[in-house]
Amino acid sequence: MNKQKKELRQRQSTRQLMGISQVTQHGIRTAEGELVFYLIKPDNLSVLSEDGIRGRVMALTRLLCTMPQVQMLALDSRESFRRNKDWYRLRLEQEELPAIRELLRQDGIHLDDIQAGTASAREFAIVLCPERSGGEPDENHLRQTEKHIRDLGFQVRMADPQDIKRLLAVYYQQDVTTDHFDDYDGERWVKDHG
């Protein structure tokens, strides 16, 4: 990359780098139009019968066939401790003191337990591009779409701006621990102290 392009990229905001011009009430606006997000609460397939699983697959098939303007988004909404575990393993190989080795071993087991406890933490979203289905989205049309998805047997709700920011944080930086996202860096400090 030449120097001029590199300098231009360094001056761009995070949203510009991601191609997002605006976080909207239920999604994001990009150069290609608005994307509206519906959050799906997944079913626990391990407790469903074969017929139950077949029914869920058929419902998803019906959804994708009746709404060709939707896309599915699946995110791994759990933290990865791979680097931490690698560090503990390396440190354990180097450590000579038995007490420290035991503490390092216990820390590694603790990280394994956390990871096992969140192994099924997934987020699913249906992404709708209303412009592809005939125009600007209005709240009534978006609510009708939500009802249609619910009628197919899914637990669904439209995403709000905090949901969108959380999905972007999980997608771009695997950040699953932040509860609230400011629109601007330091925004909450200015509001709290201003």
Side-chain angles (χ1 to χ4, degrees):
M1 182 182 308
N2 68 30
K3 186 177 179 178
Q4 213 171 23
K5 282 185 181 180
K6 188 174 182 177
E7 286 175 8
L8 179 63
R9 283 183 63 89
Q10 288 175 339
R11 283 187 259 144
Q12 289 182 316
S13 71
T14 304
R15 285 186 187 174
Q16 289 170 325
L17 290 170
M18 292 188 294
I20 297 171
S21 60
Q22 178 185 8
V23 175
T24 63
Q25 187 62 31
H26 303 293
I28 57 174
R29 185 168 305 283
T30 68
E32 281 116 41
E34 185 170 354
L35 300 174
V36 177
F37 291 77
Y38 295 89
L39 302 179
I40 300 289
K41 185 175 180 191
D43 294 321
N44 185 351
L45 298 180
S46 63
V47 298
L48 290 178
S49 67
E50 269 189 54
D51 290 338
I53 293 172
R54 192 172 300 118
R56 301 311 306 142
V57 170
M58 291 305 296
L60 182 59
T61 303
R62 280 193 300 276
L63 172 67
L64 295 174
C65 288
T66 60
M67 299 181 71
Q69 69 276 21
V70 302
Q71 297 175 354
M72 295 292 298
L73 177 65
L75 298 170
D76 196 4
S77 63
R78 67 185 175 104
E79 285 199 71
S80 171
F81 297 108
R82 183 180 49 82
R83 287 186 189 151
N84 298 53
K85 288 167 42 174
D86 290 345
W87 184 85
Y88 278 115
R89 217 171 324 188
L90 179 65
R91 191 65 185 84
L92 189 59
E93 290 171 6
Q94 297 169 345
E95 185 56 53
E96 295 177 13
L97 294 173
I100 302 293
R101 288 179 57 80
E102 178 58 21
L103 289 173
L104 290 168
R105 189 187 67 74
Q106 288 177 13
D107 283 345
I109 290 170
H110 177 69
L111 289 178
D112 287 339
D113 291 344
I114 292 172
Q115 195 131 19
T118 61
S120 62
R122 302 278 191 274
E123 293 229 32
F124 296 93
I126 291 176
V127 184
L128 173 70
C129 184
E131 282 91 3
R132 289 186 197 149
S133 59
E136 278 293 309
D138 66 0
E139 193 71 21
N140 189 36
H141 174 71
L142 296 177
R143 295 286 173 200
Q144 287 175 351
T145 301
E146 182 180 24
K147 182 183 180 318
H148 176 70
I149 296 168
R150 190 171 287 116
D151 289 346
L152 289 170
F154 294 96
Q155 294 180 44
V156 64
R157 69 177 177 82
M158 270 195 292
D160 63 31
Q162 283 298 310
D163 291 322
I164 300 304
K165 292 172 190 176
R166 184 178 42 75
L167 288 173
L168 290 170
V170 168
Y171 184 80
Y172 282 104
Q173 54 183 147
Q174 288 75 45
D175 178 357
V176 297
T177 57
T178 305
D179 292 331
H180 178 79
F181 294 93
D182 295 329
D183 287 326
Y184 305 97
D185 268 346
E187 176 182 21
R188 83 184 87 167
W189 305 113
V190 172
K191 286 181 180 178
D192 291 345
H193 298 91

